Amino acid sequence: MNYLERSDAKFVAQAADDSQRSAAIEHLSGLRRTTFWVAALLSICFLLIFILGAFHPTLGALGGAVGTGFFMLAQWMTVMKIESDLRLLKVAEQLRRKSL
């Protein structure tokens, strides 16, 4: 079983169990907040390095902008994945409440 299959199985188990689902919603809410602010800070750093690199074109500034840009994109993708998981868990929680 590879990492993605284990991760999917863990997520399904969390979504199916009421106590785990509530804990996962709380955990993902905090994680989303932290990850969002890290991604926003990286975006600001990327723009700053990019703008300063335009005034002083050096290879170091370009390398810093590229590295920061890749890390920024990876962080925003992580934010989107966390948001997706959180929304799915919240929908499962709402469906459980309606079924009771």
Side-chain angles (χ1 to χ4, degrees), residues 4-25 88-89 92-93 96:
L4 291 175
E5 291 171 351
R6 285 192 311 260
S7 177
D8 289 345
K10 180 181 174 186
F11 184 79
V12 169
Q14 284 179 342
D17 186 19
D18 292 339
S19 62
Q20 285 186 5
R21 184 173 49 245
S22 299
I25 288 173
L88 187 58
L89 287 173
E93 182 71 18
R96 186 197 59 83

Side-chain angles (χ1 to χ4, degrees), residues 15-72:
D17 186 19
D18 292 339
S19 62
Q20 285 186 5
R21 184 173 49 245
S22 299
I25 288 173
E26 287 181 31
H27 173 72
L28 286 176
S29 294
L31 189 62
R32 176 187 58 178
R33 187 179 316 108
T34 303
T35 309
F36 173 81
W37 285 112
V38 169
L41 181 63
L42 281 171
S43 298
I44 292 169
C45 290
F46 173 75
L47 289 175
L48 184 65
I49 292 170
F50 191 75
I51 291 169
L52 291 176
F55 292 118
H56 302 286
T58 63
L59 186 58
L62 179 63
V66 169
T68 305
F70 281 134
F71 188 58
M72 175 193 67

